[in-house]
């Protein structure tokens, strides 16, 4: 693989500024120039960089909704409500759950945790998890490293009488979940000074806010910093600003006073009595913590991370180490299989990218294999596998296949399965009945989709694609929000009685001329809304609309359809 390096030489002003900073620091101009390339331009900023201090951590209440989150948590403790700490199954999610659970468990006993199973629950908030919470009479869920896009599930939980505090660090949509509080430094209305916290880092800030509101000394949080360091390094967030402080002191904790669990893991890694570095986390500790979620269930990782008996922790660490060995074997076999498939592709040498499929590939490892292929061949790779009857994918970027026919055994196209693929021109859904959220979103070359068995089309499923006609909708009873927004479809026939069309499902489909809908349909707000230009010209082709009896039509559903007669 060949790399192209883009380097912009410093300007004369930058060289002069670096020399001035070097003089203040008593360091070489090269060091000063490197600092300036990292955005460090003053003596005070350089001191903070070289000497990370815990007192320089930001006030947690600078984060949007922190006051609401702490108030709701305090209320739960005061009312003796059952609390469930919920997190993703990777290193960041598991360390976040362990950190919040360990800290709160010192002060409160009615608390439990839940890590979704990668294979049974899938990513994020599952129906299975909500049912578990209801059965356990949970009233508050603190969700970490996921949840920012679980709008429907959190709304369902609210109907069950379960509140959510969301602690996430991923990009948000315009519509936020109906949670009591949403702690996410990437919110569009963010007020927090640093936006690159890990999921565990956001959980730490919640605990810092909780401690501050209850007069709990900050030093009670210091033993948890090793978990912060693991999450920051393993989740590849920038080790700058507040992350640099948390990571520096987390590494110090790992080296001088690691938790029972991490001491056991370090023994299985051969790191006992050795100085732990970021490389050790990256290549030894992190992969072992990750392996449980990839091969078995991430809850075993949390069981280990909260264990207080060293002998038990050591036995659990050995189990996790075995999972890591299994993960390596699976990784090697899948990589070998993928390389063999690619080598048999006659067009591989001339294609701009690679798309390959094997239904036996393991969901928890497929991403690692995709990354290896990208590194070897120097081009985007699109790997497909199957989870039960669901088509799943990893690295959904430029694909090399123009026409895709799904295997007959695939009944569901998973969320984000082809999202962003700019090479696929046509798709035959074959026997698939379900197209998940964002499944074909942004497929700019996709013009044709066929399939006669569809019943469900998720949110944003075909948004921003180039499709000119919808697949057979005879049996479809649900079309999600923005499902076909800004596409080139010319006609729509959704005749199943009682069908639901989500908000803005067909907004700005300006080639859409004919729409036929059945009886008892529910049409969401703005479902067929057309926007106008600066001169209030509504440019669209909708001239024929037929709707059956007893339709429920939302606000602005057909706004701008000024050619209807």
């Amino acid at each position: 693989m060949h790399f192209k390096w883009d380097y912009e030489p410093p300007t004369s002003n930058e060289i002069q500024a670096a020399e001035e900073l070097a003089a203040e620091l008593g360091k070489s101009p090269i060091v000063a120039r490197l600092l300036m390339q990292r955005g460090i331009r003053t003596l005070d900023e350089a001191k903070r960089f070289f000497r990370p201090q815990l007192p320089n951590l930001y006030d947690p209440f600078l984060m949007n909704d922190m006051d609401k989150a702490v108030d709701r948590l305090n209320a739960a403790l005061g009312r003796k409500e059952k609390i469930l700490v919920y997190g993703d199954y990777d290193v960041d999610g598991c360390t976040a759950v362990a950190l919040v659970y360990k800290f709160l468990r010192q002060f409160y006993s009615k608390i439990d945790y839940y890590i979704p199973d990668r294979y049974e629950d899938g990513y994020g908030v599952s129906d299975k998890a909500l049912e578990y919470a209801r059965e356990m009479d949970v009233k508050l869920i603190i969700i970490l490293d996921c949840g920012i896009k679980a709008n429907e599930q959190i709304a369902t939980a609210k109907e069950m009488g379960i509140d959510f505090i969301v602690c996430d660090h991923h990009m948000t949509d315009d519509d936020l979940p109906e949670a009591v509080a949403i702690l996410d430094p990437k919110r569009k209305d963010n007020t927090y000074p640093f936006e690159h916290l890990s999921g565990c880092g956001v959980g730490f800030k919640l605990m810092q806010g909780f401690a501050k509101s209850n007069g709990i000394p900050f030093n009670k949080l210091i033993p948890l910093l090793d978990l912060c360091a693991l999450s920051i390094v393993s989740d590849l967030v920038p080790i700058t600003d507040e992350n640099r402080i948390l990571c520096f002191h987390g590494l110090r904790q790992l080296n001088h006073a690691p938790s029972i669990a991490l001491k056991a893991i370090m023994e299985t890694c051969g790191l006992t009595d050795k100085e732990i570095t970021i490389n050790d986390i990256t290549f030894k500790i992190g992969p072992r913590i990750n392996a449980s979620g990839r091969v078995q269930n991430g809850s075993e990782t949390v069981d280990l991370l909260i264990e207080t008996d060293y002998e038990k922790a050591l036995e659990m660490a050995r189990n996790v180490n075995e999972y890591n060995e299994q993960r390596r074997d699976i990784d090697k076999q899948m990589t070998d299989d993928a390389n063999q498939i690619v080598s048999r592709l006659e067009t591989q040498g001339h294609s701009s990218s690679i798309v390959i499929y094997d239904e036996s590939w393991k969901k928890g490892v497929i991403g690692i294999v995709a990354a290896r292929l990208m590194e070897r061949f120097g081009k985007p790779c699109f790997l497909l596998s199957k989870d039960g009857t669901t088509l799943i994918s990893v690295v959904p970027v430029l694909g090399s296949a123009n026409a895709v026919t799904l295997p007959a055994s695939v009944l569901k196209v998973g969320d984000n399965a082809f999202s962003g693929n700019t090479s696929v021109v046509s798709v035959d859904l074959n026997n698939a009945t379900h197209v998940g959220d964002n499944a074909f979103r942004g497929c700019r070359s996709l013009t044709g989709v066929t399939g006669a068995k569809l019943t469900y089309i998720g949110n944003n499923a075909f948004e921003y694609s180039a499709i000119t006609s919808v697949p057979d909708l005879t049996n479809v009873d649900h079309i999600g929000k923005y499902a076909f927004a800004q596409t080139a479809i010319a006609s729509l026939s959704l005749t199943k009685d009682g069908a639901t069309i989500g908000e803005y499902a067909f907004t700005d489909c300006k080639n859409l001329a004919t729409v036929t809908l059945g009886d008892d349909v529910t049409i969401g707000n703005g479902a067929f809304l057309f926007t106008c230009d600066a001169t209030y010209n509504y440019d669209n082709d909708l001239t024929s609309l037929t709707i059956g009896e007893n339709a429920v039509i939302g606000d602005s559903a057909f706004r701008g359809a000024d050619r209807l007669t």
Side-chain angles (χ1 to χ4, degrees):
M1 183 173 182
H2 301 285
F3 295 94
K4 178 183 177 182
W5 296 93
D6 292 324
Y7 172 70
E8 184 175 341
T11 65
S12 57
N13 289 338
E14 289 172 339
I15 292 174
Q16 181 180 349
E19 289 174 349
E20 292 173 358
L21 180 59
E24 286 188 276
L25 290 172
K27 302 288 184 181
S28 76
I30 294 175
V31 171
R33 197 177 301 164
L34 289 170
L35 287 172
M36 295 193 72
Q37 288 174 352
R38 287 158 176 76
I40 299 165
R41 292 178 169 79
T42 68
L43 181 61
D44 286 341
E45 289 173 346
K47 286 180 178 178
R48 286 170 64 97
F49 181 82
F50 285 119
R51 301 168 187 168
Q53 301 295 318
L54 289 172
N56 289 333
L57 291 174
Y58 298 118
D59 183 343
F61 288 96
L62 293 175
M63 191 177 293
N64 304 64
D65 284 359
M66 182 61 75
D67 53 344
K68 297 177 183 176
V70 170
D71 287 348
R72 181 63 184 88
L73 180 54
N74 283 332
L77 270 63
R79 295 197 288 256
K80 299 191 184 319
E81 294 175 341
K82 187 70 177 287
I83 300 173
L84 185 68
V85 185
Y86 188 109
D88 192 18
Y89 36 62
D90 65 358
V91 176
D92 193 17
C94 289
T95 53
V97 169
L99 185 150
V100 170
Y101 180 85
K102 285 178 71 173
F103 189 70
L104 291 179
R105 193 68 176 78
Q106 300 175 73
F107 314 103
Y108 191 64
S109 61
K110 297 186 70 173
I111 184 168
D112 195 3
Y113 58 88
Y114 188 101
I115 300 292
D117 185 282
R118 185 190 292 264
Y119 302 97
E120 294 184 9
D121 294 85
Y123 175 77
V125 184
S126 68
D127 294 338
K128 176 184 172 184
L130 290 181
E131 188 57 39
Y132 172 82
R134 177 159 58 180
E135 290 174 359
M136 298 300 293
D137 196 30
V138 169
K139 297 301 180 186
L140 175 64
I141 295 177
I142 302 173
I143 186 167
L144 299 133
D145 194 34
C146 57
I148 197 61
K149 297 187 178 182
N151 297 41
E152 293 182 14
Q153 295 87 343
I154 291 176
T156 299
K158 189 175 181 180
E159 294 174 359
M160 296 177 176
I162 302 172
D163 287 335
F164 265 82
I165 295 173
V166 176
C167 301
D168 207 342
H169 68 131
H170 297 103
M171 297 297 294
T172 67
D173 291 332
D174 292 332
D175 296 327
L176 296 176
E178 295 182 68
V180 170
I182 297 174
L183 308 180
D184 189 331
K186 287 193 174 70
R187 283 175 57 155
K188 294 180 180 179
D189 59 348
N190 175 50
T191 57
Y192 196 67
F194 182 61
E195 67 174 25
H196 298 298
L197 290 169
S198 64
C200 185
V202 178
F204 179 85
K205 299 307 294 187
L206 174 58
M207 293 301 94
Q208 186 185 358
F210 172 77
K212 186 174 182 178
S213 75
N214 289 282
I216 300 169
F218 180 82
N219 60 21
K220 288 278 190 181
L221 288 161
I222 291 177
L224 303 171
L225 291 174
D226 50 11
L227 295 172
C228 286
L230 291 184
S231 76
I232 289 167
V233 174
S234 299
D235 219 52
L236 302 178
V237 293
I239 308 180
T240 58
D241 204 295
E242 193 165 40
N243 281 345
R244 187 172 177 83
I245 299 172
L246 294 170
C247 192
F248 177 85
H249 289 276
L251 278 172
R252 175 176 287 180
Q253 189 71 22
L254 269 175
N255 279 289
H256 299 291
S259 68
I260 293 292
L262 291 175
K263 186 177 179 181
I265 293 173
M266 288 188 286
E267 180 171 331
T268 64
C269 297
L271 294 174
T272 302
D273 298 327
K274 294 183 180 179
E275 182 180 359
I276 307 301
T277 66
I278 284 178
N279 279 347
D280 293 322
I281 295 175
T282 303
F283 298 108
K284 295 183 178 180
I285 300 174
R288 283 166 171 78
I289 293 176
N290 236 345
S292 180
R294 292 187 185 278
V295 178
Q296 294 293 328
N297 189 300
S299 62
E300 292 190 41
T301 297
V302 179
D303 293 341
L304 167 58
L305 292 175
I306 65 172
E307 183 55 60
T308 56
D309 181 276
Y310 183 73
E311 292 303 321
K312 291 181 180 178
L314 187 58
E315 181 179 352
M316 297 163 77
R318 288 169 179 154
N319 289 337
V320 168
N321 190 60
E322 178 60 31
Y323 297 149
N324 191 49
E325 294 300 320
Q326 293 177 28
R327 189 270 308 166
R328 286 178 175 174
D329 292 342
I330 295 168
D331 177 359
K332 183 180 183 305
Q333 183 62 54
M334 287 173 57
T335 302
D336 290 345
D337 292 346
N339 282 325
Q340 289 179 20
I341 293 172
V342 174
S343 67
R344 293 197 297 267
L345 296 175
E346 295 180 1
T347 60
Q348 190 279 121
H350 307 288
S351 66
S352 61
S353 50
I354 296 167
V355 176
I356 53 179
Y357 167 81
D358 189 310
E359 66 177 38
S360 68
W361 283 339
K362 201 167 184 65
K363 182 179 179 181
V365 185
I366 191 172
I368 301 173
V369 177
R372 294 193 193 286
L373 290 184
M374 290 179 70
E375 184 175 354
R376 176 181 176 184
F377 294 102
K379 60 183 68 176
C381 297
F382 184 53
L383 268 62
L384 301 173
S385 187
K386 196 175 73 166
D387 181 16
T389 57
T390 300
L391 185 73
I392 59 173
S393 67
V394 174
V395 196
V397 290
L398 300 175
S400 61
N402 290 327
V404 174
T405 298
L406 300 188
S409 59
V410 171
L411 303 182
K412 179 179 178 181
V413 182
D415 295 350
N416 305 294
F418 288 85
S419 179
N421 186 304
T422 58
S423 293
V424 172
V425 174
S426 65
V427 173
D428 182 354
L429 296 172
N430 208 339
N431 291 326
T433 61
H434 181 116
V435 173
D437 296 348
N438 304 297
F440 296 94
R441 187 174 191 262
C443 293
R444 297 291 187 179
S445 301
L446 178 61
T447 57
V449 180
T450 58
K453 298 188 177 181
L454 276 179
T455 60
Y456 180 96
I457 298 174
N459 298 335
N460 310 88
F462 295 94
E463 184 183 20
Y464 302 131
S465 68
I467 62 171
T468 56
S469 61
V470 296
D472 187 337
L473 303 180
T474 303
N475 299 308
V476 171
D477 55 20
H478 177 88
I479 295 178
K481 294 188 295 185
Y482 295 95
F484 292 91
Q486 298 190 46
T487 58
I489 62 173
S491 64
L492 170 67
S493 178
L494 181 67
T495 56
K496 185 167 184 179
D497 294 344
T500 299
I501 300 174
E503 296 179 353
Y504 307 102
F506 296 90
T507 189
D508 277 336
C509 292
K510 295 185 177 180
N511 296 337
L512 184 58
T514 305
V515 174
T516 303
L517 305 175
D519 295 337
D520 302 306
V521 295
T522 299
I523 304 171
N525 297 340
F528 295 87
L529 179 146
F530 297 98
T531 56
C532 61
D533 60 22
T535 60
Y536 295 95
N537 174 47
Y538 292 95
D539 181 21
N540 65 83
D541 294 335
L542 185 58
T543 57
S544 174
L545 172 63
T546 303
I547 305 178
E549 297 179 351
N550 303 318
V552 177
I553 302 176
D555 295 341
S556 302
F558 294 92
R559 179 184 174 189
D562 54 0
R563 297 187 184 182
L564 281 175
T565 58

